[in-house]
Structures are given as C-alpha cells and as structure tokens.
Amino acid sequence: MKRHCLAMAALAAALLLHAPLRAQEAAKPVPTQASRGANNVTQAAVAQGVLNCAARINQVSSFVGYTAQAGALLMIPPAQPDQRLIPLALEVPSENGSAYVSAAFAPNQANGCGAAYDAVVYWPQRCEAVANRQFAGLKRVGLLKTSITVLDGGESTKVFLMPAGSGCVSIKKEVVL
C-alpha cells in the first residue's frame, strides 16, 4: 500500500464544525482553492491513478480547510486504485491544538463517488458548553449509550460529544450526499 504525506492547511473551523457538506456544492463556483484547480491531495491521488473520485477528494479536502499547515496521508490501494476505497487522514491545526479528520472515498456510487468524513476536535470546555456554543443549531437526540451525547444535523450529519478529562471531544460525522 502506497502512502503519500502532503502539506495541508489551517482548519476552516466554521465549515468543519458547523456547516454540512452537500455533493451538489461541488458544482457551485466558489472563490476558493478548489475552484482555482486541484489541490495537492487531489493531485497526488490522480498521479496514483485515482480519477473517479478526484473531484470529490478535492471538494472534501478543501471543505475541511486544506492549506499548507496541515498533514495528510492518502492510502492508495496497490491495484486498481480507481475502483477501490480511498482513505485519507488529515491533521489540521485548530484553535485548541490539532483536529483529526478521517475521510473515505468510494468510486462507482450512485452519485459518482461516495464520501464520508469524521472530524475529531478536543475542546477544553465541558460537553454541555461545547453543545451550546459550537453546535447550537443542532438538535440533541440523547445518549449513544451511557456517556456520548448525540446531536442531529440532519439526514447526513451527526455530532458525537464525548467527555475527555475536564474537556470534551467532538466527532462530526458526515456522509456527502
């Protein structure tokens, strides 16, 4: 399995933490790196034969804040990379240190290339404060089991808040529809 480390960028916290990503947004012209051309993550994937998911890789990596201050690891399959699942791991600077983003891209889906990502961020505040401040627009669903709070951002977006010492870890999970 080939791995590619690339330089990445500062976390676009408002996008990463709050806004949902929709597949149709890829077609909208936006004055960002994504609309100026393929970013380095996308270019590395294409260079290794990943064509079916190139646009989606560019869309998602740009959405979560691709710039030069982050790190990335693409896990390109050794055979038929354009027909297999493509995992991507990112370390993105955040206001509290680093955020971890894990994305996966699946070619040959109904929308061309399916994608899902998890954005993991540590907050020094308690989970109740994080829910009220960072995710105020999301509906509280309840507990996953005993200690992880579930917030609902719609059919494709969920946020999980997990106590961590005196702080909280948020995990935003989104499927790109």
Side-chain angles (χ1 to χ4, degrees):
M1 184 174 340
K2 297 179 183 181
R3 293 184 178 152
H4 302 277
C5 292
L6 305 170
M8 295 291 282
L11 174 63
L15 291 176
L16 177 64
L17 299 175
H18 304 294
L21 176 62
R22 302 279 185 244
Q24 59 270 27
E25 291 175 1
K28 294 180 182 178
V30 180
T32 65
Q33 181 175 357
S35 64
R36 291 189 299 255
N39 63 38
N40 290 342
V41 172
T42 306
Q43 290 175 28
V46 168
Q48 294 299 313
V50 178
L51 305 176
N52 288 330
C53 285
R56 187 73 70 223
I57 290 169
N58 201 65
Q59 176 195 18
V60 172
S61 60
S62 295
F63 179 78
V64 298
Y66 177 84
T67 64
Q69 285 72 42
L73 176 72
L74 271 168
M75 297 173 67
I76 307 292
Q80 298 179 317
D82 206 30
Q83 300 299 316
R84 300 192 187 270
L85 187 70
I86 307 295
L88 170 65
L90 305 170
E91 179 183 344
V92 185
S94 73
E95 63 185 76
N96 299 312
S98 290
Y100 173 76
V101 179
S102 175
F105 304 92
N108 305 317
Q109 302 296 302
N111 64 351
C113 176
Y117 73 88
D118 293 318
V120 181
V121 179
Y122 172 78
W123 304 92
Q125 302 85 22
R126 295 182 125 328
C127 289
E128 184 69 24
V130 173
N132 293 334
R133 201 170 309 134
Q134 304 300 329
F135 302 104
L138 301 185
K139 179 183 175 187
R140 291 174 201 229
V141 176
L143 294 176
L144 189 59
K145 180 65 176 169
T146 58
S147 61
I148 298 175
T149 300
V150 180
L151 305 176
D152 187 1
E155 65 184 15
S156 64
T157 306
K158 304 295 182 251
V159 173
F160 304 90
L161 300 177
M162 181 173 61
S166 61
C168 183
V169 171
S170 67
I171 302 123
K172 178 185 176 190
K173 179 177 252 347
E174 183 167 7
V175 177
V176 182
L177 300 175

